[in-house]
Structures are given as C-alpha cells and as structure tokens.
Amino acid sequence: MGIETLTWDVDVISITCTVRIMNKHALPRLRLVIYLRVSTKGQVDTYGFPSQLKDCKTWNKPHNHRIVEVLREEAESGATDEEDRPELARALDMIANGDADGILFPNLDRLARELTIQEAALSVVWAHGGRAFGADQGEILPDDDSDPMRTFVRQVMGAAAQLERGLIKNRLRKGRAAKGAADGYAYGAPRYGFKAEKKALVEVPDETAGEARAKELRAQVDENGKQTSYREICRILKEENFKTKRGGEWRPSTIAKMLDPEYRAKANERDARARQAKRDDAVMRKAAKARSRFSDKDAGEK
C-alpha cells in the first residue's frame, strides 16, 4: 500500500490515518509477563537471558503492551521439563489470578523443550482467558474446532523442533565419545594437573607440582612399612601452600582420586550411576504426574 498511498488525494490520506488510529485504540494494551529460560550448565546455542530479553522487548515495542514482570528460569541441565520450573509456574499463576493478561517468551522452545509440556502450559494460559506470544512468531492462537489445521501446524512444528534438538544432542554425544576415545578428553572438568584450552588438555604447572609432591609423600614409608596416609598428605600439602583445583580444602578422597587410578575409575562409575539414578527418578516422577492427571480426569468424568 506504500507507493499507491502517495498517489491518493488529501481526503483519502486523512481517512487512512483515521482508520489506523482507530485500529490502534481497538487493540487492548495487555499486561504481559515475560518468561525466559536457560540451562544452568549453558545453552548449546548460547541464547542467554540478555539476548532473549532483547528479542522480547523488540517484539513488544510496536505493540506497547505493559510488561508487569520478567521471570528468569535457570532450569537444571538434564532434568525433565516439568521439574524445577518455579518461574513458569509463577507466570501461569499470575495469569490464573488475573495479575497478567498473557505471557511473552522468545520462542516455544524456551517455554518448554518438550511438545507435551508446551501444550500443557499453553492450555493453562488459554483456560484462564490469557494470551500467549512468541517473540519470533507473534500470538499463538488457541485451538479452534473450526480450524483444526491451526492445532496441527503448531504441534507438528513443535515436534519437528524437538526432533532437531534430539538429533543435535545425539551428534554431540557421539562426537564427544569419539574425541574421548582418541585423546582421552572430550568435555567436562579436567582432573587435577590439567586445564582445558582450545578443546585440548594442557598442564597447569602449580597443579602438576602439587601432584608430584603428593606422589612423593605417598611413596614414603615409616619404620613399620606403612605409606603416608591420604589424610597426612592433605595436611602437608596445605602446610606447603599447594592449592586444590577449586581453592577449597584438601580431602583424602581428592588425594585418592589423584594418585590411585583404580579408586578414580570406581569413583567415576559411582558418579555415573548416581546421575543415571537421578534421570530414572525424574522419568518416574514425570510418569506419576501424568498418571495423576489422567486419574483426576477420570474421576471428574465419573
């Protein structure tokens, strides 16, 4: 309409301006809560809080909705989407209680990674008369029986995004495994004596000196043929101002991991089992919540 408008007479231009003003006032100024989410262990795409907030504010600038709250969620990496989401629950409560008219988020992926959780959150918003907006696509309209394609397209896009994230994670996992098999280091905190630099391990002189001193002490034996205890090594290293990797206190278990490969391997296996148990527990809690929702629904129908 831009070029054609220049050819119209003054009366038409006046009418056009009047219509635009009326449309602007016809759109309600909503109270929105901005919801942002990252993982505490970092985002693969480095899309952090500042960038997310900037995108939300950029989208809102021409709409001029009132931002009543900005909520930042630091979700624990590895947890399921339903866990550790107090800020999302708070945002939904604000809408349910009438303290906000809707929610604004950078994109659906930041609302929730899993399609089922996205749909559950949106259903809560819509059930209380709220509105949902993504900075990347505008308003996400509620389901409409007369337009089933609306629901289909939204869910297919969400499923496709979830599949893409799964494929990316799988490639990263395989790449790390291959790199670890090649040179012994792929990711994570390097052991004492080393640091990660440009995706490779390099020695830390102060730490290698501390490790050498610990080995020297462990090799010493008393008149009864006993080696220096790990606890005694801790005392001597502290006394000689050797620092731990994180600057904390020396502990016997730290010395054991440093000097005893078998102990270190067992400790790593134990940590891996603990992480897996945590993931299994999260899955079971999620299943219990889903079962509870179905049970409540069945009870209501009866």
Side-chain angles (χ1 to χ4, degrees), residues 119-249:
E119 291 292 303
L122 290 173
S123 68
V124 172
V125 172
W126 294 329
H128 292 91
R131 297 169 71 174
F133 301 90
D136 63 332
Q137 59 180 295
E139 183 167 9
I140 298 160
L141 298 174
D143 296 337
D144 185 345
D145 291 340
S146 65
D147 185 12
M149 281 298 294
R150 178 188 299 177
T151 304
F152 173 76
V153 171
R154 184 185 71 245
Q155 293 182 349
V156 166
M157 290 178 64
Q162 185 171 324
L163 173 62
E164 182 182 13
R165 289 190 299 275
L167 293 174
I168 290 172
K169 283 184 178 180
N170 193 40
R171 286 198 296 270
L172 286 173
R173 192 178 298 113
K174 289 182 177 179
R176 287 169 174 172
K179 191 174 188 304
D183 59 17
Y185 175 75
Y187 66 99
R191 71 180 186 85
Y192 190 76
F194 296 88
K195 66 179 180 179
E197 193 172 279
K198 296 181 179 180
K199 300 182 179 181
L201 289 181
V202 295
E203 289 188 354
V204 180
D206 290 344
E207 292 183 6
T208 52
E211 183 174 6
R213 178 58 173 147
K215 288 179 179 178
E216 178 186 349
L217 292 169
R218 184 63 172 170
Q220 296 174 2
V221 295
D222 61 17
E223 62 274 10
N224 297 318
K226 291 184 177 181
Q227 293 178 298
T228 309
S229 70
Y230 291 145
R231 191 173 299 278
E232 179 65 9
I233 293 174
C234 289
R235 186 191 67 77
I236 295 174
L237 290 180
K238 180 180 179 181
E239 198 174 74
E240 295 179 357
N241 292 320
F242 286 103
K243 306 296 183 184
T244 64
K245 181 169 282 294
R246 295 180 177 83
E249 292 290 324

Side-chain angles (χ1 to χ4, degrees), residues 42-47 110 168-169 172 176:
Q43 297 295 142
V44 172
D45 55 2
T46 67
Y47 190 34
R110 298 300 153 173
I168 290 172
K169 283 184 178 180
L172 286 173
R176 287 169 174 172

Side-chain angles (χ1 to χ4, degrees), residues 27-34 59-60 63-69 90-105 121-133 139-140 142:
L27 294 174
R29 186 172 185 236
L30 304 174
R31 298 167 301 157
L32 298 182
V33 53
I34 291 180
W59 177 88
N60 187 53
H63 302 284
N64 198 33
H65 296 307
R66 183 159 69 92
I67 304 302
V68 295
E69 193 86 49
R90 184 179 167 197
L92 297 178
D93 283 343
M94 290 178 67
I95 296 171
N97 296 332
D99 298 322
D101 301 312
I103 184 171
L104 169 61
F105 37 83
L122 290 173
S123 68
V124 172
V125 172
W126 294 329
H128 292 91
R131 297 169 71 174
F133 301 90
E139 183 167 9
I140 298 160

Side-chain angles (χ1 to χ4, degrees), residues 249-261:
E249 292 290 324
W250 284 105
R251 300 180 183 279
S253 59
T254 307
I255 302 300
K257 285 183 180 179
M258 182 194 303
L259 302 182
D260 187 343

